[in-house]
Amino acid sequence: MGEPLEVRPLLRAKRFEDLVPETKALKELKPSFTRKEHSRITSASFSPVAPYRLAVVSGTKVGIWQPAALKEGALEEGKSLTKFKDVTLCASWRSDGKLLLVGEASGSCAVIEVEKNTILRRLRGHGDAVTCAAYAETEKSRCATGCKDGKLRLWDVATSELLSTMEAHDDCLKCCAVGPVGAGSWITAGHDQMVKLWDERSKPDKPAIAVNHGSPVECGCAFPGA
């Protein structure tokens, strides 16, 4: 006669709250403000300096939102930037909150002085739609733009001069952010599933680090101070 079969109790699945302690706090978060745009929103970007205005990219305009004076937690549209001939795709603030980069589907990137609602210049020479952009954190006259053709372009904003072009990705480049090691450092990601770190000082034409994300990347941001 064989050994009696030991019956073990079934394992109970752990609750999500036990796996992620922050779940309870996250569930308690509720929107304090809701606004529907007339066209789909392709990008949004907060200014890094007070009053921390929010640039919302939608259709052929960019709305600049700021904290409402009479209602805590709400936003109000302070101004609307509408001097665009094509669909706007992305926006990025300079570190002082004075200038804004706005990428357009036509293949140019507008440099906007927000207070005066003025387009100072357009960075031209992209092979396709400008899908992402970022200012250098320390050198205010430098910026980077990412394009649907997968190329990363570095610019001198003061002169509109194209400084260099890198074959960054094999598909649409969707994310461009300042890297962790200075003005010549950039992080990019795109539809080719790759996330790359570029450092102009050591390997200007090749990424210093390249990681396969496993899925196409639509958006990303760098943690401040990381």
Side-chain angles (χ1 to χ4, degrees):
M1 192 171 180
E3 295 279 335
L5 181 64
E6 181 182 0
V7 179
R8 298 180 180 179
L10 294 174
L11 296 175
R12 295 184 60 184
K14 290 186 178 181
R15 298 183 305 169
F16 192 68
E17 290 83 352
D18 297 330
L19 296 173
V20 185
E22 299 85 0
T23 301
K24 184 177 179 181
L26 293 175
K27 285 184 176 180
E28 294 176 353
L29 293 176
K30 296 180 180 179
S32 60
F33 171 80
T34 302
R35 161 67 185 264
K36 186 175 181 180
E37 292 286 347
H38 297 294
S39 303
R40 70 185 183 96
I41 296 173
T42 55
S43 178
S45 177
F46 271 106
S47 170
V49 296
Y52 307 108
R53 293 175 292 184
L54 175 66
V56 178
V57 182
S58 174
T60 57
K61 78 178 186 72
V62 177
I64 305 297
W65 294 79
Q66 57 193 24
L70 302 178
K71 186 178 180 181
E72 185 178 356
L75 296 175
E76 60 184 8
E77 190 169 17
K79 59 183 63 181
S80 182
L81 311 176
T82 59
K83 299 179 180 180
F84 304 101
K85 298 178 181 179
D86 206 337
V87 175
T88 51
L89 298 176
C90 63
S92 178
W93 294 87
R94 198 169 71 174
S95 59
D96 57 6
K98 294 180 179 180
L99 298 184
L100 187 70
L101 292 172
V102 177
E104 301 173 87
S106 60
S108 65
C109 184
V111 181
I112 299 174
E113 187 174 1
V114 178
E115 290 300 328
K116 296 182 179 180
N117 197 5
T118 303
I119 295 179
L120 299 179
R121 57 186 55 85
R122 276 186 164 92
L123 307 178
R124 305 182 187 275
H126 300 87
D128 212 323
V130 179
T131 51
C132 56
Y135 267 105
E137 192 166 345
T138 52
E139 294 186 26
K140 295 180 181 179
S141 64
R142 297 192 66 188
C143 76
T145 57
C147 204
K148 193 175 180 180
D149 62 8
K151 294 179 181 178
L152 176 69
R153 292 174 172 85
L154 306 181
W155 302 84
D156 184 328
V157 180
T159 62
S160 301
E161 179 186 358
L162 176 60
L163 301 176
S164 62
T165 301
M166 289 173 277
E167 300 283 348
H169 293 266
D170 296 329
D171 205 336
C172 179
L173 204 164
K174 292 290 291 183
C175 173
C176 177
V178 176
V181 289
S185 171
W186 305 93
I187 299 171
T188 63
H191 284 176
D192 61 353
Q193 306 184 13
M194 298 301 294
V195 179
K196 299 181 180 182
L197 171 65
W198 304 84
D199 188 351
E200 295 178 63
R201 300 170 304 174
S202 58
K203 298 178 179 180
D205 299 326
K206 294 183 179 180
I209 300 174
V211 179
N212 193 321
H213 186 265
S215 298
V217 179
E218 283 290 336
C219 187
C221 66
F223 283 96

